[in-house]
Amino acid sequence: MKRVPSPLLFIVLSLPLFFIALGSSMLPGRVSAWAQAAGTGYSCGMHPMVVSDRPGSCPLCGMDLTPLQSDSGGAGEREIKYWVAPMDPTYIRNEPGKSPMGMDLVPVYADEATGSVIAIDPVTAQNMGVRTAPAIRRDMARTIRTVGLVAYQEPRQVSVNTKIDGWVEKLYVNETGQQVDKGQKLFSIYSPDLVSTQEEFLLALQNYDTLVASPFPQIADSGRQLLEASRRRLQLWDISDAQIARLEQTRQVEKTLAFHAPESGVVSIKMVRQGQYVQKGMELMVISDISRVWVLADIYEYELPWARIGARADIILPFVGGKKVAGILSYLYPYVEPKTRTVKARFDLANADFELKPDMYVNVQLQTSPIKDALTVPVEAVLRSGEEETVFVIRGEGKFEPRRVKTGLQDEQGNLQVIQGLLDGERVVTSAQFLLDSESQLRAVRAKMLEVRSPVENQSDLPTGSGEGRGKDPAAEDLEDLFK
């Protein structure tokens, strides 16, 4: 006589089919608790009903099984790796606190990671050529090396022109590049207007001499005012006080009057010839003082954060055996040259011996101010993809965590400043990151492909669950009835 199997035996034999039919949406908490209570060690993150006592792959999705965490121990027994801002994964600290947005920092434990941790066999990592380096603090410095061009100081250039029409009768300075002193004669001009103004001045002078002895103060004062008005007119035409005094003394009209250099310097531009007719406002000469000069150097955009007003620079003269002249960074021009994508930097230099000639090329070495106590990693450790910057942090033997960071300046030794995202002493990968990044991207894509489809789009396809409009698999309903 055959024995009829008991209902309990039927339930036990049906449990594997029950888990597979229901999937992860049916009683996940019960399965996880049962597995931990049973002492088993590994489960699938996507399908918690899959439990194994040894590491391996999930038979449903192929993902690596992860160790189960026992609930017997408190949270204080887990090692906290660092604290991170909930809204900014690059803002990390080694102690609790507040984020820049005012939110409490959350702990990240040593047995978990903010991203997908990649596990690679140490032998495979060695064959891949994986090298690492620590994130350490150091003083960062950079010397900006560029080429400069000697130029005139614009405030030390003056334009020589006339305020009257006339002919240049005599040109006393007739060479470009000639050195002139302040007050030196430049040229003399014959002008009919100037001759008539001299005659008016002499008549006003004669009238004043006649009226000055008048017993009526008002008459004497009017004669003085007329004389001063004639004198003022000559002064406004750049006639010197010495020439006016000589005219007042000799009382003879001069056919030509000389014009003098307003400043000392060299004649950098000469546009007048002897005997030429000139009009008022026409530029005749430019006198430039080169006892002090500018050096204009090109600085690339990525070097601009290092440049500071007042920084010292060595101006190297390659044509004098590498002689160095000290200069000061006095100004950064507020625009970018469109063709070279550089910014002009201006240096002030003394040039008493005229060794520096305008339009001469020189080499510039700008000594920048160091950045103190900056957290740095080698520049090759950072992967840049669009708006994100990523490093791979060593999380143990053969484990690598991709982590987003924010970087700053780079020094000339190849060290890159890390503003956020790393802690002192953490080791990062400096080679073969592209292979690690590819593996990380593949795992992320595979995880997305294995995600459960949205119940809104596939309400009739779901095998389990409850709620309005959702269907159930008949087999799953029968199995649920067994537990009632």
Side-chain angles (χ1 to χ4, degrees):
M1 182 177 182
K2 297 182 179 179
R3 299 181 58 186
V4 178
S6 65
L8 180 60
L9 179 60
F10 176 76
I11 293 174
V12 172
L13 294 177
S14 302
L15 280 177
L17 297 176
F18 170 66
F19 291 146
I20 295 175
L22 293 182
S24 60
S25 61
M26 185 65 185
L27 304 176
R30 298 181 186 178
V31 177
S32 178
W34 172 82
Q36 294 184 21
T40 54
Y42 299 91
S43 175
C44 176
M46 298 294 296
H47 302 88
M49 77 292 298
V50 178
V51 179
S52 174
D53 59 352
R54 62 176 63 89
S57 300
C58 176
L60 300 180
C61 64
M63 295 182 63
D64 294 337
L65 301 182
T66 57
L68 292 171
Q69 299 294 333
S70 175
D71 293 336
S72 59
E77 299 178 1
R78 302 172 65 187
E79 178 187 355
I80 296 178
K81 190 69 175 177
Y82 52 82
W83 299 75
V84 64
M87 301 299 293
D88 186 1
T90 66
Y91 187 85
I92 66 173
R93 293 292 183 268
N94 54 8
E95 60 184 3
K98 297 285 187 179
S99 70
M101 301 179 63
M103 303 179 66
D104 292 332
L105 301 181
V106 297
V108 175
Y109 297 98
D111 56 359
E112 61 185 25
T114 59
S116 302
V117 176
I118 302 172
I120 299 179
D121 183 80
V123 177
T124 304
Q126 183 176 2
N127 294 335
M128 291 169 57
V130 175
R131 296 192 300 272
T132 63
I136 60 176
R137 293 194 173 274
R138 69 176 81 233
D139 294 342
M140 300 178 65
R142 187 183 187 95
T143 299
I144 299 177
R145 295 175 175 84
T146 182
V147 177
L149 189 69
V150 180
Y152 298 102
Q153 288 195 358
E154 294 173 2
R156 293 177 176 267
Q157 290 185 296
V158 294
S159 174
V160 179
N161 51 64
T162 69
K163 298 180 176 64
I164 58 175
D165 299 337
W167 289 262
V168 178
E169 292 285 329
K170 181 67 175 177
L171 196 58
Y172 299 102
V173 176
N174 201 15
E175 297 177 6
T176 302
Q178 184 175 343
Q179 179 74 32
V180 298
D181 298 324
K182 184 176 182 179
Q184 180 179 338
K185 284 185 179 181
L186 298 178
F187 50 84
S188 59
I189 289 182
Y190 161 70
S191 172
D193 293 337
L194 196 56
V195 171
S196 62
T197 303
Q198 293 180 74
E199 292 174 348
E200 291 175 2
F201 175 77
L202 292 179
L203 288 175
L205 181 60
Q206 183 180 357
N207 185 54
Y208 174 74
D209 293 341
T210 303
L211 299 177
V212 70
S214 173
F216 302 99
Q218 295 85 353
I219 296 177
D221 189 61
S222 63
R224 182 185 59 80
Q225 291 179 1
L226 182 60
L227 178 61
E228 291 300 322
S230 300
R231 186 193 307 275
R232 182 61 177 167
R233 186 177 182 185
L234 289 172
Q235 290 175 342
L236 293 176
W237 279 351
D238 294 337
I239 306 302
S240 66
D241 293 338
Q243 291 173 302
I244 297 175
R246 185 172 65 252
L247 178 63
E248 187 175 359
Q249 182 179 4
T250 61
R251 306 213 173 188
Q252 294 291 328
V253 175
E254 297 184 11
K255 177 185 177 183
T256 62
L257 288 178
F259 289 78
H260 302 78
E263 297 291 341
S264 300
V266 298
V267 179
S268 55
I269 298 177
K270 185 182 79 69
M271 303 177 64
V272 62
R273 295 177 178 84
Q274 187 166 304
Q276 180 179 345
Y277 174 76
V278 296
Q279 295 177 321
K280 53 187 176 183
M282 180 186 297
E283 186 175 69
L284 306 179
M285 296 181 183
V286 175
I287 299 176
S288 304
D289 182 9
I290 59 172
S291 60
R292 296 192 65 86
V293 294
W294 285 341
V295 169
L296 303 179
D298 293 329
I299 296 181
Y300 288 102
E301 295 176 78
Y302 72 90
E303 297 174 322
L304 284 178
W306 291 96
R308 294 289 184 271
I309 302 298
R312 300 186 61 85
D314 291 330
I315 311 300
I316 303 175
L317 314 182
F319 53 87
V320 195
K323 179 180 177 180
K324 292 184 178 180
V325 180
I328 301 294
L329 177 57
S330 61
Y331 190 67
L332 286 170
Y333 285 78
Y335 53 83
V336 175
E337 296 289 341
K339 294 183 179 179
T340 61
R341 306 308 304 169
T342 58
V343 173
K344 290 290 184 184
R346 193 171 73 198
F347 301 88
D348 289 341
L349 281 81
N351 190 36
D353 54 359
F354 300 159
E355 192 171 31
L356 292 170
K357 309 294 191 298
D359 296 325
M360 176 184 291
Y361 283 106
V362 294
N363 296 325
V364 178
Q365 292 183 355
L366 177 60
Q367 307 298 327
T368 61
S369 301
I371 301 176
K372 300 292 186 180
D373 196 34
L375 183 64
T376 64
V377 296
V379 65
E380 59 269 17
V382 180
L383 286 177
R384 293 180 171 89
S385 57
E387 297 181 354
E388 295 185 359
E389 295 177 309
T390 306
V391 297
F392 283 87
V393 183
I394 306 301
R395 294 300 300 268
E397 185 69 21
K399 294 182 179 180
F400 308 92
E401 173 198 347
R403 190 185 300 172
R404 289 179 56 187
V405 296
K406 292 181 180 179
T407 61
L409 301 180
Q410 177 183 341
D411 64 11
E412 56 189 351
Q413 282 77 34
N415 300 311
L416 185 62
Q417 180 186 15
V418 178
I419 300 175
Q420 287 183 188
L422 283 178
L423 298 175
D424 294 359
E426 288 188 311
R427 299 192 68 86
V428 296
V429 178
T430 60
S431 65
Q433 306 99 306
F434 290 102
L435 298 176
L436 299 177
D437 186 55
S438 300
E439 177 65 18
S440 176
Q441 296 295 332
L442 287 174
R443 292 194 178 190
V445 171
R446 184 174 61 179
K448 290 181 179 179
M449 292 178 63
L450 294 174
E451 287 180 352
V452 180
R453 288 179 296 175
S454 173
V456 177
E457 299 177 359
N458 304 280
Q459 293 177 352
S460 61
D461 296 337
L462 291 176
T464 62
S466 61
E468 185 178 350
R470 299 180 60 184
K472 289 188 177 182
D473 183 69
E477 293 180 355
D478 295 340
L479 290 175
E480 288 183 2
D481 293 336
L482 294 176
F483 287 92
K484 292 182 180 179

